[in-house]
Amino acid sequence: MKNAENCYPSLSQLIEFVRDFTGSRRASITAQTYLEEDLGITGDDGAELLEEVAQRFGIVLHTDEDGYRTTFSLGENEYLFHSEGFDPLFIGRLIGWLRNKPRPIIRDLTVGALHDALVAAHRKNSGSTTSSTEY
């Protein structure tokens, strides 16, 4: 269900989708809620959430060339979610350090920032310039 007037999902529709995705009925979800820190969405679950949001609302967030980098203005070493991998001996970090590879920077995404990205992607695809704020 999309906002009929502007053809993009409202913040309340996105919050309801995230609530259904997480199965969380107790947690308060607002525009300021962090997907990873507050809701525990990380790694493959985060990628799955982004794919399902795009599919549910009919908006392209990912490209083959840039992944999610353009949509979320991510730098070369920035990511939206931590990896789910388990590295008890920190071998992955050691190998990265030996290769002089910088540590990844995680930019925890809020529900509000995800909504802004959905609206911006919709505008980009439709050429619309209407306001997105529906809090």
Side-chain angles (χ1 to χ4, degrees):
M1 177 153 83
K2 294 182 184 179
N3 178 321
E5 182 180 323
N6 299 313
C7 297
Y8 56 79
S10 68
L11 179 60
S12 61
Q13 289 171 321
L14 178 60
I15 287 172
E16 189 60 32
F17 181 87
V18 170
R19 186 178 311 285
D20 290 344
F21 181 87
T22 63
S24 176
R25 292 286 169 205
R26 293 183 181 176
S28 173
I29 300 176
T30 68
Q32 293 77 29
T33 301
Y34 287 98
L35 296 177
E36 188 165 340
E37 182 180 332
D38 297 331
L39 300 176
I41 299 171
T42 189
D44 292 340
D45 292 336
E48 183 180 340
L49 170 71
L50 295 177
E51 289 170 9
E52 288 189 23
V53 162
Q55 181 179 3
R56 167 68 174 84
F57 296 112
I59 298 173
V60 176
L61 297 174
H62 178 274
T63 66
D64 290 337
E65 299 153 355
D66 297 325
Y68 294 105
R69 296 205 179 285
T70 301
T71 303
F72 296 101
S73 302
L74 296 172
E76 187 174 324
N77 199 38
E78 290 183 312
Y79 302 91
L80 295 173
F81 303 101
H82 283 95
S83 142
E84 291 183 17
F86 182 63
D87 189 10
L89 302 176
F90 301 103
I91 293 172
R93 287 188 187 177
L94 175 63
I95 291 171
W97 179 76
L98 292 172
R99 292 183 177 169
N100 200 26
K101 192 175 176 183
R103 290 184 71 186
I105 298 166
I106 307 301
R107 285 191 26 211
D108 200 351
L109 187 63
T110 64
V111 173
L114 178 55
H115 181 254
D116 291 345
L118 286 170
V119 171
H122 171 74
R123 286 181 181 163
K124 180 179 177 185
N125 294 333
S126 70
S128 174
T129 58
T130 57
S131 175
S132 69
T133 306
E134 281 193 33
Y135 297 91

